[in-house]
Amino acid sequence: MCGRYASSRAPEDLAGLFDAELDPARGLLGPSWNVAPTDDVWAVLERVDKGSGEVLRSLRPVRWGLVPSWAKDPSVGSRMINARMETVHEKPAYRKAFGRRRCLLPADGFYEWVAVPATGTAKAYKQPYFIRPEDQGVMAMAGLYEFWRDAGVEDDDDPAAWLTTATIITTEATDAAGRIHPRMPLALHPDDFGTWLDPAHHDTEDLRALLHTPADGVLTTTAVTTAVNSVRNNGPHLLDPAPQAG
């Protein structure tokens, strides 16, 4: 699974990398080395412009944790931060979004934890590892997004009436990641961005075929400081190697 990740690149840089439009009116996010569920995160998505009818690619903030349109309240999103690649196309909560509302969630890398048992001189703890592409390029994690309408807001045109949320698609972990945790976020290859984001592309088998070897299977894993274990901590120091790693 993916329960925490880092996204520190400037929005202008991300917009350039993904050839996307950035609308500051939707809000701007600062860098985060400890992105947690229910945080606002950057998403790249394509929508048909109501005025021109053109398909426009944009970079915009969404909340991490998908809330289906039929949900009674948004709290369900905290339990829907990940969707399994093997079943995402058929699960009721994700099926419609898989067909029409796909996105990319940019990341520097993600964290996973390994339980370290207690010894005679030390308590048990969870050792975090930071997993990222070997070339340190951006990870374009495959995701889905949804719109949830807040019935408590009368005006459809009021921005407060709509909540946009997203989930990360996960797959079996490979390469270095597989030695840490059995699941990992699925990062798409740049050649597949256009097909994945295209809102007019609905062929389930074609889309599932894009969900193959994450990050080309080339990842590096670094044991990092346990400071990342607390969501209250943030900053580039969270990527410092753990003392025992030298």
Side-chain angles (χ1 to χ4, degrees):
M1 64 170 292
C2 177
R4 214 82 67 75
Y5 68 93
S7 180
S8 65
R9 287 174 170 82
E12 296 80 8
D13 293 341
L14 290 175
L17 284 169
F18 290 95
D19 194 23
E21 294 294 323
L22 176 65
D23 182 2
R26 292 187 180 275
L28 293 175
L29 305 177
S32 178
W33 290 264
N34 202 355
V35 179
T38 74
D39 282 352
D40 284 344
V41 299
W42 285 119
V44 179
L45 52 90
E46 291 187 355
R47 302 280 296 170
V48 176
D49 182 71
K50 293 181 179 179
S52 67
E54 293 182 70
V55 175
L56 301 179
R57 182 180 295 185
S58 64
L59 176 72
R60 59 181 291 180
V62 301
R63 196 174 81 172
W64 184 18
L66 188 137
V67 180
S69 60
W70 41 260
K72 292 182 178 179
D73 65 75
S75 63
V76 67
S78 63
R79 303 191 299 274
M80 300 179 70
I81 62 170
N82 294 155
R84 294 176 68 92
M85 180 273 288
E86 297 86 350
T87 57
V88 66
H89 61 293
E90 57 190 15
K91 291 289 186 181
Y94 306 121
R95 187 170 54 226
K96 286 187 177 180
F98 186 80
R100 298 177 181 275
R101 289 177 290 277
R102 298 174 299 276
C103 63
L104 298 170
L105 302 166
D108 304 334
F110 63 98
Y111 299 97
E112 292 295 356
W113 282 260
V114 171
V116 178
T119 65
T121 57
K123 295 181 179 179
Y125 68 99
K126 289 186 176 181
Q127 174 60 57
Y129 288 80
F130 187 61
I131 303 168
R132 70 186 311 167
E134 192 173 63
D135 64 2
Q136 298 194 16
V138 67
M139 285 187 74
M141 300 187 293
L144 308 176
Y145 69 96
E146 265 292 5
F147 298 109
W148 182 80
R149 176 69 166 85
D150 186 347
V153 181
E154 293 185 6
D155 186 359
D156 268 359
D157 293 328
D158 186 338
W162 297 94
L163 177 65
T164 310
T165 60
T167 189
I168 296 170
I169 297 177
T170 66
T171 187
E172 290 186 6
T174 61
D175 197 60
R179 295 192 290 272
I180 305 299
H181 194 277
R183 304 291 298 181
M184 67 174 289
L186 204 156
L188 292 187
H189 190 279
D191 291 348
D192 297 328
F193 290 174
T195 303
W196 179 253
L197 295 175
D198 184 358
H201 198 121
H202 308 310
D203 188 292
T204 299
E205 291 309 310
D206 279 358
L207 293 167
R208 293 194 70 216
L210 304 180
L211 303 176
H212 49 80
T213 309
D216 290 333
V218 184
L219 302 165
T220 60
T221 301
T222 304
V224 295
T225 170
T226 55
V228 74
N229 293 3
S230 171
V231 295
R232 293 188 296 271
N233 296 328
N234 212 321
H237 68 284
L238 296 184
L239 302 186
D240 289 346
Q244 62 267 35

